[in-house]
Amino acid sequence: MQLGKAGVSEGFLRVLEDALKRNELIKLRLGRRVEVDLKEQVAAKVKCHLVHKVGRIAVLYRPFAEPKIVLPAPEA
């Protein structure tokens, strides 16, 4: 996904919410002139975690309600 010059709008948050329903991890690219507090203005509003940020790229995470992959318990 990309966050452009329009900033954090209701439309952007709706699209991000839909993307997080389909994927647990979202890579978000910030535009050159976009200045936004990702934790306060994005992650808090869609109830996800800011996992990583390098330069103009951020990774957001929200776990699914039911895990899609169930790992077997390790043998002792």
Side-chain angles (χ1 to χ4, degrees), residues 1 4-6 13-14 16 19 23 26 32 36-39 42 44 47 58 61 68 71 73-74:
M1 292 192 63
K5 62 183 175 183
L13 292 174
R14 217 173 311 122
L16 180 60
N23 304 296
I26 300 291
R32 286 186 198 175
V36 63
D37 182 2
L38 290 172
K39 282 188 178 182
V42 178
K47 296 178 179 71
Y61 170 74
K68 292 198 177 212
L71 298 175

Side-chain angles (χ1 to χ4, degrees), residues 15-75:
V15 171
L16 180 60
E17 180 70 34
D18 290 341
L20 284 167
K21 288 179 183 175
R22 291 188 309 271
N23 304 296
E24 287 183 319
L25 284 173
I26 300 291
K27 183 167 76 171
L28 180 63
R29 185 180 310 262
L30 302 172
R32 286 186 198 175
R33 293 179 174 79
V34 175
E35 294 300 324
V36 63
D37 182 2
L38 290 172
K39 282 188 178 182
E40 295 292 323
Q41 294 178 318
V42 178
K45 290 186 179 180
V46 294
K47 296 178 179 71
C48 67
H49 302 282
L50 175 63
V51 177
H52 192 68
K53 183 175 184 281
V54 174
R56 314 268 329 138
I57 304 291
V59 177
L60 303 173
Y61 170 74
R62 183 170 69 186
F64 288 135
E66 295 181 29
K68 292 198 177 212
I69 299 172
V70 178
L71 298 175
E75 296 180 21

